[in-house]
Every structure is written in structure tokens, then in C-alpha cells.
């Protein structure tokens, strides 16, 4: 009787791709589970720009670096005092309630800094460096907190530091230096009021900016016109809370009156010389009244504006202003929402 020998059959297990992974359990080899293919991951992931990932750090670096550069330039003594700075320094040696062509704030500031740093170019111009740092801080915080756009706040600092007007006001101690700070503060105060109409802090800030701005330069009074347009725009869109218009106008009037008080007191004793000087510059009195508002001076004025702001930033400002005015007139909110 013949015996048959049973030979185990060898059957390789195949992976989904057809490759063998081992033998059957009968062949003495444990079958291994097939390995799933893992999709290849990209080597680098797209990341947001650094001013979006850490806007506060970027803003702090911009403010610190630009302030240190301005401070180095002032201390190095590469630029002598310009005519206006020399005049304001001369005023600061005899403090008064006001002066011939400007309010007293510029002389008061120079007097304070020269008392600390001496009658030097650094002492005269230190106020401009500090005002520039404060203005940049205000710009970033205003855009980041009130508009809730920190990355846009960083870009705002970039734009400001590339305009000749802002660069010069951070080095030269003229009346434009404190005026820019007060003007920006008043603008952000108005927007703050639109968000928190019952809060006291924005009204107090608006009062302080108006008072100090008028003491710096009479141009601050033009902020009243800006406020009227702002109130009208809010009313057109149904965003003006009840009683806000009267509170805003009352606070601005009180701040302007507080700033004008020492100026009026000084002019009463000096034959109203400041007001007559401003009337001549404005073309409403004297020989300049016949030639101030002539069409042939418009190109010169526009060229000067483009020079102190740069043509590209001025163009973008005009486009943005026109779009904002168009939206306000049509009752359309920013972003296309009615």
C-alpha cells in the first residue's frame, strides 16, 4: 500500500500593488499586514507675512528703529536749526501766553526740553523726536484697536514713515510736529465715540486734542469741519446715536475755547496782531487778498501737497476720500453693505 505525502502549498499573499509580503501560516511564516501608502506632504507650508503673525512686534520695531534713527540724526548735528526753529527757540527764552504768528505751545515745549538738555540743537529738537514716537504709537493703537486691524496698523506706520511731511516733522521742531499728533488724536477720538457713544474717555481725549492743537497751530480749528462731515456721514447711514452730535460739537467748542483763551488774552494786550497776521496770510486782508484765491496758484498748491506727501500716497488718499464721500452720499456702508 503506497502512502502519499502531503506537501503544503505555498501561496504568497499579495499587497494591493501586487507585491508579496510573506507566506501562509502553514508555511511557517506569519503574514504581514499590507502597509498603506501615505500621501507625500509638501516640504513647506505657506505662512502669513510676519506683520500679520506678530503685528505688535513689527509695530514696536518700526517705532523703535525710526525713533533711534531720528535721535541719532538730531544728536549728530548734521543739520543746523532752520529759520522757524530759531525763531521758536528765541520765543522760548521769554515765555508768554501767545506770540506774533503762532500759539504758545511750540515755545513752551522747546523751553521744557532745553531746560533739561540745554540750549542745543538736541534740546530744541527733542520734542519733535518724542512727538514722532507718540504719533506712531497712536497710529498703530488706533488702527489696531479701534479698527480691529493690527496688520493694517503696521502698514499705516510704513506709509507714515515714507512721507516727507512725517519724516521732517520727526526731526524739525516746528508747529506741525505737535499739530500732527493732536490731529490724529482727534480723528481717532471721533471714531472711538462712534463705537462707544456713552464713554467718557473719548470725549476727554477729544477735548485735550482740540485744546492742545489750537495752542500749537490755528489750523486745528479746521477739525470742526471734519467732525461735521463725519457726523453727517453717520447720520446718512443711520449709525449716529441720539445726542452724540450735540455732545461732540459741545466738547470740540469747549476744547477750542480753552486753547484760544491764552491767545485771546495776549492779543487783547497786543492790538490783535496775531489775528491781523493770519487774515493777511489767508488772503482776506491786505494786499494778498487780491491774489490769494486765484486759479493760477492752484497748480503750485497741488504740487506742494504732492511734494510733502508723495504723488502716489496723495493719489491713493484722493481715491479713498472720494470713495468714502460717494458711499456717504449714497447711504452705503463701507464694504458694499447698505
Amino acid at each position: 500500500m503506497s502512502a502519499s505525502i502531503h506537501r503544503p502549498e505555498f501561496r504568497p499573499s499579495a499587497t494591493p500593488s501586487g507585491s508579496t509580503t510573506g507566506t501562509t501560516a502553514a508555511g511557517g511564516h506569519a503574514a504581514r499586514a499590507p502597509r498603506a501608502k501615505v500621501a507625500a506632504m509638501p516640504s513647506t507650508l505657506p505662512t502669513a507675512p510676519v506683520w500679520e503673525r506678530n503685528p505688535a512686534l513689527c509695530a514696536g520695531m518700526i517705532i523703535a528703529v525710526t525713533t533711534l534713527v531720528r535721535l541719532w540724526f538730531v544728536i549728530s548735528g548734521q543739520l543746523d536749526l532752520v529759520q522757524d526753529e530759531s525763531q521758536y527757540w528765541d520765543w522760548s527764552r521769554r515765555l508768554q501766553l501767545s506770540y506774533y504768528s503762532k500759539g504758545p505751545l511750540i515755545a513752551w515745549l522747546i523751553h521744557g526740553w532745553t531746560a533739561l538738555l540745554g540750549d542745543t540743537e538736541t534740546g530744541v529738537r527733542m520734542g519733535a523726536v518724542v512727538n514722532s514716537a507718540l504719533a506712531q504709537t497712536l497710529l498703530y493703537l488706533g488702527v489696531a484697536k479701534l479698527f480691529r486691524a493690527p496688520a493694517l496698523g503696521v502698514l499705516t506706520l510704513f506709509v507714515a514713515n515714507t512721507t516727507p511731511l512725517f519724516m521732517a516733522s520727526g526731526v524739525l521742531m516746528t508747529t506741525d510736529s505737535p499739530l500732527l499728533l493732536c490731529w490724529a488724536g482727534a480723528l481717532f477720538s471721533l471714531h472711538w465715540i462712534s463705537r462707544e457713544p456713552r464713554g467718557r474717555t473719548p470725549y476727554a481725549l477729544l477735548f485735550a486734542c482740540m485744546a492742545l492743537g489750537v495752542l500749537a497751530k490755528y489750523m486745528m480749528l479746521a477739525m470742526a469741519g471734519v467732525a461735521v462731515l463725519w457726523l453727517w456721514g453717520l447720520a446718512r447711514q443711520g449709525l449716529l446715536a441720539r445726542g452724540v452730535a450735540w455732545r461732540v460739537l459741545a466738547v470740540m467748542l469747549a476744547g477750542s475755547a480753552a486753547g484760544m483763551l491764552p491767545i485771546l488774552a495776549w492779543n487783547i494786550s497786543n492790538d490783535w496782531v496775531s489775528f491781523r497776521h493770519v487774515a493777511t496770510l489767508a488772503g482776506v486782508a491786505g494786499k494778498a487778498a487780491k491774489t490769494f484765491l486765484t486759479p493760477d496758484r492752484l497748480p503750485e498748491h497741488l504740487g506742494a501737497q504732492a511734494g510733502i506727501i508723495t504723488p502716489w500716497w496723495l493719489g491713493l488718499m484722493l481715491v479713498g476720500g472720494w470713495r468714502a464721500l460717494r458711499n456717504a452720499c449714497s447711504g452705503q456702508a463701507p464694504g458694499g453693505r447698505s
Side-chain angles (χ1 to χ4, degrees), residues 181-194:
L181 179 59
C182 295
W183 190 275
L187 288 176
F188 284 123
S189 297
L190 291 175
H191 184 70
W192 193 354
I193 290 171
S194 68

Side-chain angles (χ1 to χ4, degrees), residues 44-71:
T44 58
L45 295 175
T47 58
V50 64
W51 60 85
E52 294 182 359
R53 288 184 280 114
N54 202 334
L57 177 61
C58 292
M61 291 181 62
I62 292 175
I63 296 172
V65 170
T66 54
T67 301
L68 290 175
V69 170
R70 290 184 174 98
L71 183 61

